[in-house]
Amino acid sequence: MKKIEDKILEFMKESPKKTFSLDDLEAEMGLQDADDFKAMVKSLVAMEDRGDVIRTKKNRYAFPEELDFVKGTFRAHEKGFGFVLPEDQEMDDIFIPPTQVNNAMNGDIVFANITKIKGDNLAEGMIHKIVERKTSQVVGTYMEDLMGDPIVIPDDKRTFGQVEIDLASGLKPVDGHKVIVELTEYPEGRNRARGIVKMIIGHRNDPGVDILSIIHKHGIPIAFPDDVMEEANKVPAEIAESEIGARRDLRDQVIITIDGADAKDLDDAVTVSQLPNGNHKLGVHIADVSSYVTEGSALDREAAERGTSVYLVDRVIPMIPHRLSNGICSLNPHVDRFTMSCEMEIDASGAVVSHEIFESVINTTERMTYTDVNDILVAEDADLREKYAPIVPMLEDMYALSKILNKKRDARGAIDFDFKEARVVVDEEGRPTGVVTRERSAGERLIEEFMLAANECIAEHFFWMQVPFIYRIHEDPKEEKLQRFFEFITNFGLVVKGTANDVHPRALQQVLEEVKGKPEEMVVSTIMLRSMQQAKYDTANLGHFGLSTEYYTHFTSPIRRYPDLIVHRLIREYLIHGDIDDATMAKWAERLPEIAEHTSKMERRAVEAERETDELKKTEYMVDHVGEIFKGIISSVTNFGLFIELPNTIEGLVHVSTMKDDYYQFHQNQLAMIGERTGRVYRIGDEVEVEVTKVDVDHREIDFALRSLGKETPGFKRSKKTVEISKSFKKNKNRPSGDKKRKDNDTSRKKGKQDGGDAGQPKKKKKKPFYQGVAKGTKPKKPRR
């Protein structure tokens, strides 16, 4: 069959025709009997299933590109529409309206054809064919529909529709059970998907079931297979002196770890000293996980599949078993541990003037926490300085070196997103009891600078060795997204030096510096971050835009990230063993691209699960605060309302229908809601006072109602631009553009008053589709009516 397929493809490529009938192909193939014809048809079906060719409605075959079909991944939105992300990364995403999804499910590989181009070059299209289904199971809540038929409502709202359950096969859940459904039939036409219950997670009201459902929804494995645990249990709990071998012995050095108070997998330790020439010597010592997780072992295969540890609100799902991650691989104090070390000599400008990379054995002197280090260096706590007197001088040297390294990064234009870190505190049953926020201080920043220095040093070393390697890259932002960001920040009177297709990271960092401490700081930082591409792993050294560096990798966290473990393995093979022959180079050149792609996907999966559990617990936390009043910042403005972020990072919606003091219209170019009668303006970055009116845990939604009325409320911060918009609106009798139906709206509003309707809103104003104006490839923020 392979020969027939090759011959068909060769003929289609060489022929000037664009489409081919079965007769065309039969004639070219010179088929003599019915069996040969059947074999050709089977080949065509296989080629069509893989997406190599497309079959038209007239039963003619063609290459997808000849018919302007685009192959890509469908990303669904919970409101029914979606986007196709083309395989050709140079192409823009294609918007798919709800009526043109044609039963595609989130993640499916599809063919789409573009039907029209809308404003801002937004391509709109339809799903022509589903090439490959990517969803094999669904997590959801079991119940009976109105007809008494068993169904499951998927937790993932991007899985459109319900799943009919075949109770004759599989498990027998009861109403309210969270279950995993194995799909046996995909939706087709008006028919729902069908499946059987493969696993009962527990009742939706049982403690911990909500987090377990999210874990299973993202396909994250929890328990380790028996063969993996068997290997882990064979790993010794302590290092024998005979195993040290040729490793450099650093056990007499003062080396410390600095981590969060609740961290148990300590994979990095540091030391700093002053050299006679005035330079600093920085030692970064990383747990040598690759000594225990050997290539091709069951431990290695499982770690490769998981890709990363997952840090959820109430638990950690480790990449390797706890016996290793919290035991022999963790750099616990006062015990011998194997490490991979990078020692760097750093001058007064922050440049690494020399370095060494080697295997070592260490015995850490202290297990420090960020809080204690911050109190020693910033608060100068006398008790702590006395308690840790032997290492305080080194901590001060570390602080000084971190400032030098930070100054160097600032000078080259690295972008520093200084977001507040929020952590939901939960009790033993998983109930949220508080939301704690903290900002990076001295301890966090010095460890961050040291890890960045080591990662850059390792990447540059192996780049110049010209060997196959895995890098952490962050490509330049896409021009159209950055241009939209440039247009957005003009609302705050900000201008970027440079153009969207040629901008240096320094120019973006200057924007962050200009808004630092202002109400709009958080919003500008968030929108800037969203305008950039995602960092990922790659075998090509494409540099890191955000860090403004040519060389970067991940070397410092092999306990929790598989790419770091691979980097350690490459260091040992290339550098320690000196094995850089052709066979070794060919092996890694073949393996590394797949490792980079898979681990990038697993990282995104972990981030999505972590974000979802945070949103869940933040929503649960607000259930007990309905009726309470908070101050917050307008974080987003849409045509259906205002999103407000509270100081603890929890976000909720003020729906436009609740803003009854005026008739408000959304003005896209100013990203503002403006009242028609008063000219009152609600705009990103403004501080407002809100009341919590409703919390929907199932949908992760929090509803707010405005209690303050903008600039008339004493003490509230409103940007100068907001006041200018309001004044301009009141003076302009013609109203801003986009208000073409003002006369009709005025009439509707009067009629609303006479009929006893809402005074501030017309009764029958036609709303725009919720997806109108959605930027290419972006996900609208929680649109709802």
Side-chain angles (χ1 to χ4, degrees), residues 502-723:
D502 183 24
V503 65
H504 193 277
R506 184 182 296 108
L508 299 181
Q509 176 60 27
Q510 287 171 350
V511 170
L512 296 181
E513 291 170 0
E514 285 190 56
V515 298
K516 193 169 184 63
K518 296 181 180 179
E520 59 267 27
E521 177 184 3
M522 177 272 300
V523 177
V524 170
S525 299
T526 301
I527 301 298
M528 181 190 291
L529 184 62
R530 290 174 184 165
S531 71
M532 295 185 180
Q533 298 203 60
Q534 286 183 319
K536 62 182 180 180
Y537 299 103
D538 205 299
T539 54
N541 180 40
L542 303 180
H544 198 292
F545 179 83
L547 294 173
S548 190
T549 181
E550 293 182 61
Y551 315 100
Y552 198 66
T553 190
H554 272 169
F555 156 74
T556 54
S557 294
I559 289 177
R560 62 185 180 90
R561 294 188 305 226
Y562 192 71
D564 302 55
L565 193 154
I566 288 295
V567 166
H568 281 226
R569 196 169 284 164
L570 295 174
I571 290 173
R572 176 169 285 108
E573 197 151 349
Y574 294 151
L575 200 62
I576 310 300
H577 296 163
D579 186 358
I580 51 174
D581 61 23
D582 291 344
T584 299
M585 303 271 274
K587 178 187 80 171
W588 288 114
E590 180 182 359
R591 292 184 185 179
L592 288 177
E594 192 280 328
I595 292 172
E597 182 180 4
H598 176 72
T599 51
S600 295
K601 288 180 180 178
M602 294 304 97
E603 178 190 34
R604 288 193 293 272
R605 179 179 74 172
V607 168
E608 288 173 4
E610 290 163 8
R611 184 183 296 125
E612 189 171 346
T613 54
D614 279 347
E615 288 180 357
L616 168 67
K617 292 303 174 182
K618 285 179 179 179
T619 308
E620 283 184 11
Y621 175 72
M622 293 304 288
V623 169
D624 293 332
H625 295 277
V626 172
E628 294 183 21
I629 296 171
F630 298 89
K631 287 183 180 180
I633 298 292
I634 298 176
S635 58
S636 181
V637 181
T638 70
N639 60 350
F640 52 84
L642 314 171
F643 282 96
I644 314 297
E645 184 170 301
L646 306 184
N648 60 9
T649 72
I650 290 176
E651 192 175 60
L653 173 69
V654 175
H655 198 278
V656 67
S657 63
T658 68
M659 300 167 65
K660 297 182 179 181
D661 61 298
D662 200 345
Y663 178 81
Y664 287 91
Q665 282 206 7
F666 172 58
H667 292 260
Q668 175 75 42
N669 58 336
Q670 294 168 338
L671 284 177
M673 281 284 190
I674 304 178
E676 281 202 350
R677 294 195 308 274
T678 63
R680 183 173 290 126
V681 179
Y682 288 100
R683 190 168 167 274
I684 285 181
D686 285 343
E687 188 179 57
V688 293
E689 195 173 62
V690 293
E691 178 183 349
V692 184
T693 58
K694 181 184 175 184
V695 177
D696 184 341
V697 175
D698 287 341
H699 292 89
R700 323 278 199 264
E701 292 174 352
I702 301 168
D703 289 338
F704 291 148
L706 287 171
R707 291 296 299 265
S708 61
L709 299 178
K711 66 182 179 65
E712 286 79 0
T713 303
F716 275 75
K717 298 176 183 177
R718 296 180 66 74
S719 66
K720 182 179 178 182
K721 184 70 175 179
T722 299
V723 177

Side-chain angles (χ1 to χ4, degrees), residues 23-200:
D23 290 340
D24 294 334
L25 296 171
E26 182 182 13
E28 170 61 23
M29 302 288 287
L31 303 181
Q32 302 297 322
D33 56 40
D35 289 340
D36 291 339
F37 183 79
K38 287 179 182 178
M40 183 189 74
V41 172
K42 285 183 179 179
S43 297
L44 286 168
V45 169
M47 293 163 68
E48 185 185 359
D49 288 341
R50 289 196 307 269
D52 294 338
V53 297
I54 286 282
R55 181 163 57 92
T56 70
K57 292 180 180 179
K58 295 183 178 180
N59 287 323
R60 298 181 68 85
Y61 293 88
F63 290 122
E65 56 270 22
E66 294 290 349
L67 300 177
D68 294 326
F69 283 100
V70 178
K71 190 177 183 181
T73 303
F74 178 63
R75 288 284 177 256
H77 187 272
E78 62 184 38
K79 292 299 181 181
F81 61 90
F83 291 88
V84 170
L85 284 56
E87 286 185 348
D88 182 353
Q89 295 186 0
E90 297 300 314
M91 293 185 64
D92 291 333
D93 300 340
I94 303 167
F95 173 70
I96 309 295
T99 56
Q100 303 298 329
V101 169
N102 293 332
N103 292 314
M105 300 176 73
N106 185 56
D108 285 350
I109 307 300
V110 301
F111 274 122
N113 60 320
I114 297 172
T115 54
K116 57 182 172 182
I117 302 294
K118 302 180 73 174
D120 294 328
N121 295 319
L122 175 62
E124 184 174 308
M126 63 175 291
I127 303 296
H128 173 79
K129 177 181 174 60
I130 299 166
V131 179
E132 183 181 354
R133 292 286 192 180
K134 288 293 186 178
T135 301
S136 60
Q137 64 181 34
V138 170
V139 175
T141 306
Y142 176 83
M143 61 181 62
E144 293 183 353
D145 63 15
L146 295 175
M147 302 298 293
D149 295 326
I151 60 168
V152 163
I153 307 296
D155 285 352
D156 190 344
K157 304 308 174 188
R158 298 172 302 175
T159 304
F160 307 142
Q162 305 158 347
V163 181
E164 294 181 8
I165 300 302
D166 178 10
L167 291 179
S169 304
L171 303 176
K172 311 288 188 293
V174 299
D175 189 70
H177 266 157
K178 286 287 186 181
V179 299
I180 299 177
V181 176
E182 184 179 294
L183 296 180
T184 55
E185 294 180 26
Y186 289 97
E188 186 173 349
R190 295 187 178 182
N191 296 328
R192 296 184 291 198
R194 292 181 59 82
I196 60 173
V197 175
K198 179 182 177 183
M199 176 181 173
I200 297 174

Side-chain angles (χ1 to χ4, degrees), residues 260-300:
D262 56 352
K264 294 181 175 62
D265 49 354
L266 314 180
D267 50 13
D268 58 86
V270 292
T271 184
V272 169
S273 59
Q274 285 257 341
L275 297 174
N277 62 3
N279 291 346
H280 284 92
K281 181 180 179 181
L282 167 64
V284 176
H285 310 285
I286 307 300
D288 189 1
V289 180
S290 60
S291 286
Y292 305 102
V293 181
T294 55
E295 186 176 352
S297 65
L299 279 166
D300 183 45

Side-chain angles (χ1 to χ4, degrees), residues 485-498 507-508 510-511 514:
F485 172 71
F486 289 173
E487 293 168 0
F488 163 73
I489 62 174
T490 59
N491 289 297
F492 302 98
L494 299 169
V495 178
V496 174
K497 295 178 182 178
L508 299 181
Q510 287 171 350
V511 170
E514 285 190 56

Side-chain angles (χ1 to χ4, degrees), residues 313-371:
V313 170
D314 64 342
R315 73 196 75 192
V316 176
I317 303 174
M319 183 181 77
I320 57 178
H322 285 302
R323 178 175 171 82
L324 276 71
S325 64
N326 296 357
I328 192 71
C329 292
S330 182
L331 306 184
N332 301 326
H334 315 306
V335 291
D336 294 348
R337 289 290 185 261
F338 286 162
T339 48
M340 193 72 76
S341 296
C342 179
E343 287 186 346
M344 296 158 277
E345 181 182 347
I346 301 172
D347 66 17
S349 69
V352 177
V353 296
S354 66
H355 71 274
E356 268 193 287
I357 304 166
F358 54 89
E359 292 178 310
S360 57
V361 57
I362 69 170
N363 188 303
T364 55
T365 307
E366 291 286 355
R367 188 262 198 255
M368 301 296 294
T369 66
Y370 292 130
T371 301

Side-chain angles (χ1 to χ4, degrees), residues 1-6 39 42-43 46:
M1 187 176 289
K2 185 70 169 63
K3 290 183 179 179
I4 298 176
E5 291 181 13
D6 291 342
K42 285 183 179 179
S43 297

